[in-house]
Amino acid sequence: MENKDEQLLQMFFDANRQDIADDGFSDDVMRRLPAPRTRPFVVWRGLCLTAGLLLFFCCGGVGALRTFAVNFLVDVVTCILSVDVSTFSPMMALLAAFGLCSVAVFVLAQSMPDKTLLGTKRTMQP
């Protein structure tokens, strides 16, 4: 529905386009604007980045990051290994795979509204 609204708006604006002569007014305004000042922000950003990296390495950030990563991986593996798979059946696995594939096809179809999917052409409904 949103795509149709956008098309209608685009058609309206294309049909009613008006060019207004400004006799160089816009160019004069753009020339009189002050130049952007980015230099102090670049220096400040560099100083903050350097200070942050120094604090990270001086305060043992690498070791803390390594400990966090190891603990996270151990927790993930423990969680996966603690699942009781004796109650699962092959039918449940097939149904789960079918459901995931159905969702994937639906999302793919929604992401390409004007293209074809699986050889069928999608048309817009009124």
Side-chain angles (χ1 to χ4, degrees):
M1 188 66 165
E2 183 177 315
N3 194 14
K4 185 177 181 180
D5 291 340
E6 289 177 13
Q7 288 176 350
L8 288 173
L9 280 173
Q10 188 64 38
M11 288 179 356
F12 172 77
F13 287 125
D14 287 342
N16 297 308
R17 178 178 292 274
Q18 295 179 358
D19 291 328
I20 300 172
D22 65 354
D23 296 325
F25 175 76
S26 299
D27 293 332
D28 289 340
V29 169
M30 293 304 290
R31 271 195 300 271
R32 292 179 189 203
L33 288 175
R37 297 181 215 167
T38 57
R39 195 49 130 187
F41 297 109
V42 172
V43 173
W44 179 246
R45 188 182 312 146
L47 288 173
C48 289
L49 178 66
T50 304
L53 287 174
L54 283 173
L55 284 172
F56 178 78
F57 286 112
C58 291
C59 295
V62 175
L65 195 58
R66 183 179 301 140
T67 302
F68 171 76
V70 168
N71 288 341
F72 179 76
L73 290 175
V74 167
D75 288 345
V76 167
V77 170
T78 304
C79 181
I80 291 172
L81 293 177
S82 69
V83 174
D84 182 21
V85 294
S86 64
T87 59
F88 290 123
S89 69
M91 181 59 85
M92 289 174 66
L94 286 174
L95 287 173
F98 177 74
L100 287 174
C101 289
S102 299
V103 169
V105 168
F106 177 77
V107 169
L108 183 63
Q110 292 298 316
S111 68
M112 350 184 278
D114 295 333
K115 298 180 181 172
T116 60
L117 180 67
L118 302 174
T120 59
K121 179 127 174 107
R122 297 183 66 206
T123 58
M124 291 182 54
Q125 298 176 358

